Amino acid sequence: MTSIHFPAEWHPQSAIQLTWPHEDTDWADILDEVTTFYIGLSKEILRHTQLLVVCAKAAEVRKHFTQIEQENLTLVEIESNDTWSRDHGAISVFIDKKPVIYDFGFNAWGLKFAANHDNQITRKLFERNIFQTDVAYHNHLDFILEGGAIESDGEGTLLTTSKCLLATNRNQPQTKEDIEEFLKKTLGLKQVLWLNHGYLSGDDTDNHIDTLARLCDKTTIAYVQCTDENDEHYQELKKMEEELALFRTLDGEPYKLIALPMAEAVYDEDYRLPATYANFLIMDDVILMPTYCTNKDSVAKEQLQKAFPNKEIIGIDCRTLIKQNGSLHCITMQYPKGFL
């Protein structure tokens, strides 16, 4: 019988992937600003692990890094529409203990934007022998699935949202039952936990789970909590909190829930942006947590430290990223040990 293991994000890692902004992305108007952000984030990642960067012009990216940094930096020139590696990147699994990358379809969150180049990145990385020689490639382009939509505990539990996975222009006319059966079979799951409530204003992903609630270990979930009754998110996030309290681990126990504060409202003119502290990246020895330069940053860091007592929490100013409606986790994708 085939054994499929979908590792959690905290599984030992071999690299992080980024897709670099360029003049043909939505970052064009603030390209210098966002490039400065990417340089800083990349240097922080390189302090801890290998970095794989998909980019338009490798020479333009390489010049920002020292010779020592470049020893752990892999640059691959591949066309891209945008920079959201979490969603167009490969999903890593182990099948009978052998590494496999799944290439799911990416259609820019239900055909909201162009994704013709992004949807080819994983295949092109594989064809250019970026992965270790024993890594296999499985084509699942006929099923739309973004990395930001799913959270794994590495034990057979998947956490997701119904508003995303059941959204129009993704996998309809498949039913919830069809989709859950496919996920269980493909990812080797024992249970799927569906959140029906919770959203962030300005989010165009149809409620990705990585903006709302995150598995931190097999018994702990960190989630966004709104305590301001006058905030538009209050009722939906309260209902989400109630749903989370009803979820059970595979051992039948309730999850330990750690509340992250609702980020203070960030606006682009009159448009509220989806700032969230849940969009953190788990690495082997550190957690990279988005910050927005408000008093809530320190509260979020203290709360997240409870979920990861043995890891250093490093804040990354994501005020630039949020201008395109995403944050730190959205632009990164980790690969487990044995892949790169």
Side-chain angles (χ1 to χ4, degrees):
M1 182 177 178
T2 300
S3 169
I4 302 176
H5 175 222
F6 180 24
E9 191 165 318
W10 56 84
H11 185 96
Q13 298 173 2
S14 59
I16 301 293
Q17 177 180 325
L18 294 176
T19 302
W20 204 263
H22 54 80
E23 59 189 8
D24 293 323
T25 64
D26 286 344
W27 297 106
D29 291 343
I30 56 168
L31 188 57
D32 288 344
E33 179 184 341
V34 75
T35 298
T36 298
F37 171 86
Y38 266 74
I39 294 167
L41 174 62
S42 298
K43 287 177 178 290
E44 184 61 53
I45 292 172
L46 285 165
R47 289 179 56 220
H48 308 282
T49 191
Q50 292 187 79
L51 178 62
L52 168 64
V53 174
V54 172
C55 56
K57 299 176 182 178
E60 287 297 305
V61 176
R62 185 178 292 109
K63 69 182 182 182
H64 299 297
F65 300 95
T66 66
Q67 282 298 120
I68 294 176
E69 289 170 333
Q70 290 180 36
E71 291 176 4
N72 283 325
L73 177 64
T74 300
L75 303 175
V76 188
E77 292 186 349
I78 297 176
E79 288 183 289
S80 63
N81 302 99
D82 218 323
T83 55
W84 308 105
S85 292
R86 179 64 46 179
D87 297 338
H88 62 239
I91 302 296
S92 304
V93 301
F94 293 94
I95 299 180
D96 292 334
K97 299 184 178 181
K98 297 179 180 179
V100 176
I101 54 171
Y102 281 164
D103 189 3
F104 287 105
F106 176 65
N107 70 355
W109 316 289
L111 305 175
K112 294 183 179 73
F113 307 96
N116 56 310
H117 297 310
D118 292 344
N119 198 38
Q120 301 179 59
I121 288 175
T122 295
R123 175 179 56 80
K124 289 181 177 180
L125 285 173
F126 181 79
E127 290 174 346
R128 297 188 191 185
N129 300 315
I130 298 302
F131 301 99
Q132 290 193 16
T133 56
D134 61 340
V135 175
Y137 170 92
H138 285 196
N139 185 329
H140 287 293
L141 291 169
D142 57 347
F143 189 89
I144 304 299
L145 185 66
E146 304 107 29
I150 53 176
E151 280 279 302
S152 171
D153 70 347
E155 304 283 336
T157 294
L158 190 82
L159 179 63
T160 190
T161 68
S162 57
K163 289 181 181 177
C164 177
L165 262 63
L166 306 182
T168 56
N169 289 331
R170 275 186 172 86
N171 293 301
Q172 288 189 344
Q174 293 188 55
T175 65
K176 179 180 179 179
E177 290 72 26
D178 293 334
I179 291 172
E180 181 165 328
E181 182 180 358
F182 172 82
L183 292 173
K184 285 183 173 179
K185 178 181 178 181
T186 308
L187 297 173
L189 306 174
K190 300 172 184 175
Q191 68 169 345
V192 179
L193 301 176
W194 296 84
L195 277 176
N196 299 310
H197 294 282
Y199 81 98
L200 292 179
S201 179
D203 171 41
D204 50 21
T205 68
D206 302 307
N207 300 1
H208 269 184
I209 191 67
D210 71 349
T211 67
L212 298 168
R214 302 288 306 282
L215 285 160
C216 302
D217 60 39
K218 66 179 183 179
T219 62
T220 305
I221 296 175
Y223 70 99
V224 178
Q225 181 186 63
C226 182
T227 58
D228 180 2
E229 295 185 12
N230 296 316
D231 191 297
E232 65 173 287
H233 301 94
Y234 177 77
Q235 289 295 338
E236 271 293 299
L237 290 178
K238 184 176 177 59
K239 291 177 180 177
M240 184 187 80
E241 187 175 34
E242 293 168 352
E243 286 185 295
L244 289 169
L246 295 175
F247 287 162
R248 294 294 180 266
T249 69
L250 289 168
D251 294 329
E253 298 296 324
Y255 283 90
K256 176 184 177 182
L257 301 180
I258 296 178
L260 301 175
M262 180 76 196
E264 290 185 17
V266 180
Y267 291 93
D268 182 5
E269 297 180 350
D270 295 329
Y271 179 77
R272 187 166 180 176
L273 301 172
T276 173
Y277 293 110
N279 209 240
F280 54 86
L281 174 67
I282 303 172
M283 297 179 66
D284 284 346
D285 56 349
V286 299
I287 305 294
L288 301 188
M289 185 194 82
T291 61
Y292 306 99
C293 291
T294 73
N295 293 332
K296 295 280 189 72
D297 292 350
S298 60
V299 178
K301 184 176 181 179
E302 290 175 5
Q303 288 296 95
L304 201 55
Q305 192 73 74
K306 296 176 183 177
F308 300 99
N310 298 318
K311 292 182 185 287
E312 180 185 1
I313 311 295
I314 298 174
I316 303 292
D317 182 355
C318 288
R319 287 176 296 172
T320 295
L321 272 190
I322 206 69
K323 293 178 182 180
Q324 281 296 328
N325 306 320
S327 202
L328 188 61
H329 196 250
C330 301
I331 63 166
T332 58
M333 175 55 84
Q334 76 286 343
Y335 289 102
K337 189 175 181 179
F339 280 72
L340 268 78

